[in-house]
């Protein structure tokens, strides 16, 4: 019996999560597993009413679950930063979800903005460090508000944090068993403290994985190659900030935010699965948002729970919808409503 904590969050979050839960229900019937869901109302509305983001008692409660399924966080009436740091980043840090796993896979070449790319050309995974770096929130102001003001923002990288992420990426590359190539994406030519540590750790750990081909790319060049030669990549490992940036670009080449999913993974704790896109306030309540990113996030959750057959069937169903039904992956342009897309996935499952 899986206990799933469901956090619909803000905006279109509840609409996409609703479709994901429909698919979960169908998958559990077909593949004979049981799950129990509990909805939590963390998000902008609750914050506006109560001033609360997420308490330590909420974190303790969430630790009792098998997984967390998240819709979206972000509310137009709440100052940017409050909900992001108070809920999303707090969850990632407090639950030590030190990997942010973002598979980038093109399911229908018609939806790729790149010219002449086939589905097999866009198929890689970004392993983003999810607990350190610039996201640690370290820094200070000096002479704030004066003409001599200085703002310092520190990227905090620990050997342990870097190494566990790199190890995860090597293991993942081996298990994925495709090109068996792991690319370190960094900035060794300028950020000479952080990326020295990353590169040394990468090269040391690589010795334990002679079956994996290693490669290095600067982050700026990585964005260039995403557009020019995405087929070069298999698995990419990078830090928190670079991972955030390159996965938005990567999401676009797989067809956009409508299909991009991610998992915040604690390999020995509670992991959290979410569509990469935001709360899309302008589409809220209209039943036009694409639920496939949330459904793919559910698929990642099933894989994490070792329901591999269900996860594979879910992906096949999504591929069929993307290939045979949808006119576009963008909100309002799919040719189907949010709930109809969910129904199609259930039907194909
Ligand atoms: C993401 C988001 C978050 C991040 C924001 C909302 C804090 O952009 O999941 O990529 O920067 O990690
Ligand atoms: Mn992001």
């Amino acid at each position: 019996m899986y206990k799933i904590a469901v956090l619909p969050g803000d905006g279109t979050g509840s609409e996409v999560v609703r479709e994901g839960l429909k698919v979960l229900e169908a998958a559990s019937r077909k593949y004979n597993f049981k799950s129990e869901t509990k909805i939590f109302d963390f998000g902008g509305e609750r914050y506006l009413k109560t001033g609360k983001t997420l308490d330590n008692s909420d974190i303790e409660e969430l630790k009792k679950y098998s997984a967390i399924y998240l819709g979206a966080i972000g509310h137009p009436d709440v100052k940017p930063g409050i909900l992001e740091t108070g809920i999303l980043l707090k969850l990632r840090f407090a639950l030590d979800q030190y990997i942010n796993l973002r598979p980038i896979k093109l399911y229908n070449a018609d939806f790729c903005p790149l010219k002449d790319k086939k589905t097999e050309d866009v198929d890689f995974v970004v392993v983003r460090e999810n607990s350190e770096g610039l996201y640690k929130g370290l820094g200070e102001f000096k002479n704030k508000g004066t003409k001599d003001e200085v703002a310092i923002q520190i990227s905090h990288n620990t050997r342990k944090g870097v190494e566990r992420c790199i190890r995860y990426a090597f293991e993942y590359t081996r298990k994925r068993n495709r090109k068996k190539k792991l690319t370190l994406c960094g900035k060794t030519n300028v950020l000479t403290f952080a990326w020295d540590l990353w590169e040394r750790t990468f090269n040391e750990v690589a010795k334990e994985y002679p079956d994996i081909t290693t490669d290095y790319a600067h982050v700026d060049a990585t964005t260039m190659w995403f557009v020019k030669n995405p087929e070069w990549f298999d698995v990419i490992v990078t830090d928190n900030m670079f991972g955030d940036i390159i996965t938005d670009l990567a999401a676009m080449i797989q067809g956009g935010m409508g299909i991009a999913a991610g998992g915040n993974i604690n390999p020995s704790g509670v992991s959290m699965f979410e569509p990469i896109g935001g709360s899309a306030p302008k589409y809220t309540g209209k039943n036009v948002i694409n639920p496939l990113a949330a459904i793919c996030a559910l698929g990642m959750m099933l894989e994490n729970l070792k329901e591999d057959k269900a996860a594979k069937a879910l992906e096949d169903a999504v591929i069929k919808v993307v290939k045979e039904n949808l006119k576009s992956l963008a909100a309002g342009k799919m040719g189907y409503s949010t709930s109809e897309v969910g129904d199609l996935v259930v039907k194909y499952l």
Side-chain angles (χ1 to χ4, degrees):
M1 169 72 91
Y2 302 119
K3 287 178 67 185
I4 313 295
V6 181
L7 281 55
D10 302 313
T12 50
S14 57
E15 291 168 70
V16 297
V17 155
R18 182 190 66 212
E19 299 313 310
L21 294 180
K22 219 172 174 169
V23 177
L24 175 64
E25 165 77 33
S28 67
R29 252 184 283 120
K30 176 121 200 252
Y31 293 93
N32 283 314
F33 61 85
K34 287 205 172 63
S35 66
E36 175 187 277
T37 54
K38 183 170 174 199
I39 312 256
F40 292 84
D41 65 352
F42 311 128
E45 291 300 331
R46 190 181 90 133
Y47 173 74
L48 290 170
K49 271 191 221 120
T50 66
K52 283 187 177 177
T53 48
L54 202 66
D55 298 334
N56 290 337
S57 61
D58 298 325
I59 300 280
E60 287 314 307
E61 169 70 15
L62 289 171
K63 283 185 181 164
K64 297 177 192 152
Y65 285 78
S66 324
I68 302 170
Y69 188 41
L70 175 76
I73 297 291
H75 193 291
D77 301 336
V78 181
K79 199 177 141 220
I82 294 178
L83 302 172
E84 291 85 342
T85 51
I87 301 178
L88 184 61
L89 297 182
K90 184 155 182 187
L91 282 167
R92 289 177 182 170
F93 290 156
L95 297 173
D96 202 20
Q97 295 162 340
Y98 63 86
I99 298 295
N100 196 321
L101 194 65
R102 297 190 163 179
I104 306 301
K105 199 164 169 185
L106 177 66
Y107 289 139
N108 179 343
D110 295 345
F111 301 147
C112 183
L114 306 178
K115 217 167 81 184
D116 301 331
K117 292 295 173 194
K118 301 184 286 294
T119 50
E120 58 269 32
D121 293 332
V122 182
D123 185 359
F124 60 89
V125 178
V126 177
V127 176
R128 164 184 174 192
E129 202 290 323
N130 212 31
S131 66
E132 303 191 331
L134 281 164
Y135 278 67
K136 199 94 185 174
L138 295 177
E140 64 176 312
F141 291 112
K142 285 181 181 158
N143 309 320
K144 191 171 181 185
T146 73
K147 61 179 178 5
D148 295 319
E149 178 162 356
V150 182
I152 301 171
Q153 192 89 45
I154 294 170
S155 176
H156 186 267
N157 300 266
T158 65
R159 168 72 196 214
K160 284 197 181 92
V162 170
E163 185 171 332
R164 67 181 180 174
C165 174
I166 286 174
R167 276 189 189 282
Y168 181 94
F170 273 103
E171 289 292 332
Y172 188 88
T173 310
R174 182 179 273 172
K175 192 164 159 259
R176 176 172 152 90
N177 200 19
R178 306 287 287 254
K179 297 195 181 92
K180 288 204 158 188
K181 175 174 162 188
L182 179 61
T183 304
L184 176 69
C185 163
K187 193 71 188 174
T188 53
N189 54 348
V190 176
L191 307 177
T192 50
F193 297 106
W195 288 99
D196 188 82
L197 171 60
W198 272 84
E199 194 175 42
R200 266 185 289 122
T201 310
F202 185 76
N203 291 338
E204 273 172 42
V205 175
K207 291 188 191 127
E208 296 169 38
Y209 295 87
D211 52 321
I212 309 291
T213 309
T214 57
D215 194 8
Y216 170 83
H218 291 318
V219 61
D220 48 349
T222 302
T223 63
M224 175 182 77
W225 282 316
F226 276 4
V227 174
K228 209 167 161 274
N229 299 97
E231 65 277 8
W232 285 357
F233 296 104
D234 180 19
V235 181
I236 298 170
V237 61
T238 190
D239 79 355
N240 212 339
M241 186 78 258
F242 291 167
D244 177 47
I245 298 167
I246 67 172
T247 53
D248 263 28
L249 176 59
M252 294 318 289
I253 66 171
Q254 74 177 133
M257 288 300 176
I259 191 82
N264 301 274
I265 314 278
N266 176 339
S268 55
V270 183
S271 298
M272 174 168 76
F273 301 86
E274 53 171 340
I276 298 190
S279 56
K282 73 174 180 183
Y283 297 119
T284 301
K286 299 202 165 102
N287 201 25
V288 296
I289 194 82
N290 188 344
L292 289 179
I295 292 172
C296 290
L298 184 93
M300 293 181 74
M301 183 174 92
L302 291 177
E303 199 183 326
N304 190 262
L305 296 171
K306 308 258 181 324
E307 293 295 336
D308 289 336
K309 276 192 194 141
K312 172 78 174 65
L314 185 152
E315 188 184 20
D316 289 343
V318 168
I319 292 176
K320 198 165 154 72
V321 175
V322 169
K323 278 196 175 146
E324 296 180 11
N325 298 95
L326 299 197
K327 290 199 186 71
S328 159
L329 295 176
K333 296 180 182 151
M334 300 184 289
Y336 295 85
S337 67
T338 306
S339 41
E340 284 168 341
V341 174
D343 291 342
L344 282 169
V345 176
V346 168
K347 185 173 124 191
Y348 296 150
L349 196 72

